[in-house]
């Protein structure tokens, strides 16, 4: 792409996806961290500007999510808060209600969904969030996770299987305590 074409593609991606990237970042940080959200989003678009020749013109959003994931990781490492952030991500149901953007729990499916999700490893949690919150398909998931399509499909399959297993495990615990087996 020529210089002005890449500049135009960046400008279009910025206009079209600024709020989606902001929501993506906000969902992954503490609800009171508006200043940090702004800083991370500024970093995302600063890096996107420098790397605008790599920006896919047809589907820039998953690529921007990949940049945002890396910026978030750097921010968390730099602030020495990785463990606390992962804990907050794992227990986001409390925070989700205080954020402007509703997540997948907007219809109140129940805390058990969040509990099951919190029991998964962070990579599985992020894979499920990208496909649920950000509504990415497998091709877009591969771009956001910076891996091949086959690897992304396998990660999603395994994450879903592990989530189902956690839900089943939780359900068995509840039913074992609530229902006698001699009926």
């Amino acid at each position: 792409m020529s210089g002005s074409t890449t500049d135009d593609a960046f400008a279009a991606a910025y206009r079209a996806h600024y709020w989606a990237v902001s929501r993506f970042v906000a969902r992954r940080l503490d609800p009171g961290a508006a200043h940090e959200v702004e800083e991370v989003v500024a970093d995302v678009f600063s890096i996107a500007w420098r790397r605008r020749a790599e920006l896919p013109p047809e589907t820039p959003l998953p690529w921007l999510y990949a940049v945002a994931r890396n910026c978030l990781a750097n921010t968390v490492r730099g602030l020495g808060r990785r463990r606390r952030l992962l804990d907050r991500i794992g227990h986001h149901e409390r925070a989700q209600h205080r954020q402007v953007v509703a997540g997948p729990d907007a219809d109140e499916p129940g805390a058990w969904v969040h509990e099951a999700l919190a029991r998964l490893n962070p990579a599985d949690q992020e894979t499920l969030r990208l496909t649920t919150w950000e509504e990415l398909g497998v091709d877009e998931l591969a771009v956001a996770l910076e891996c091949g399509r086959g690897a992304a499909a396998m990660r999603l399959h395994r994450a879903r299987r592990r989530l189902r297993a956690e839900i089943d495990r939780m359900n068995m615990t509840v039913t074992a305590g609530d229902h006698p087996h001699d009926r």
Side-chain angles (χ1 to χ4, degrees), residues 74-112:
N74 290 338
T75 297
V76 171
R77 273 194 301 273
L79 296 173
R81 298 179 317 146
R82 183 170 180 80
R83 179 50 38 213
R84 284 189 298 156
L85 177 62
L86 292 176
D87 288 345
R88 284 196 301 269
I89 287 172
H91 299 94
H92 69 279
E93 68 276 5
R94 171 190 53 80
Q96 203 58 35
H97 295 290
R98 298 200 323 246
Q99 291 183 1
V100 175
V101 179
D105 61 338
D107 296 327
E108 296 294 317
W112 59 271

Side-chain angles (χ1 to χ4, degrees), residues 5 8 11 27 61 71 84 87 147:
T5 306
D8 292 345
R27 286 173 175 153
L61 189 56
C71 288
R84 284 189 298 156
D87 288 345
C147 64

Side-chain angles (χ1 to χ4, degrees), residues 4-15:
S4 66
T5 306
T6 57
D7 292 0
D8 292 345
F10 171 83
Y14 180 86
R15 282 192 306 273

Side-chain angles (χ1 to χ4, degrees), residues 16-83:
H17 302 301
Y18 178 87
W19 291 111
V21 171
S22 295
R23 287 189 301 269
F24 176 94
V25 172
R27 286 173 175 153
R28 287 157 176 82
L29 288 175
D30 211 21
H35 179 70
E36 288 176 27
V37 171
E38 291 171 11
E39 284 186 18
V40 172
V41 172
D43 288 346
V44 170
F45 283 102
S46 174
I47 291 166
W49 172 256
R50 287 194 305 272
R51 294 175 50 197
R52 64 192 179 278
E54 302 169 37
L55 185 73
E58 299 303 314
T59 55
L61 189 56
W63 186 86
L64 290 169
Y65 287 157
V67 174
R69 290 179 72 240
N70 292 329
C71 288
L72 279 165
N74 290 338
T75 297
V76 171
R77 273 194 301 273
L79 296 173
R81 298 179 317 146
R82 183 170 180 80
R83 179 50 38 213

Side-chain angles (χ1 to χ4, degrees), residues 124-154:
D124 285 346
Q125 291 179 30
E126 183 64 3
T127 298
L128 293 169
R129 285 188 182 103
L130 284 165
T131 56
T132 304
W133 286 357
E134 318 311 338
E135 301 178 354
L136 299 187
V138 174
D139 291 336
E140 297 166 318
L141 180 65
V143 174
L145 294 177
E146 300 177 286
C147 64
R149 187 187 193 287
M154 184 56 72

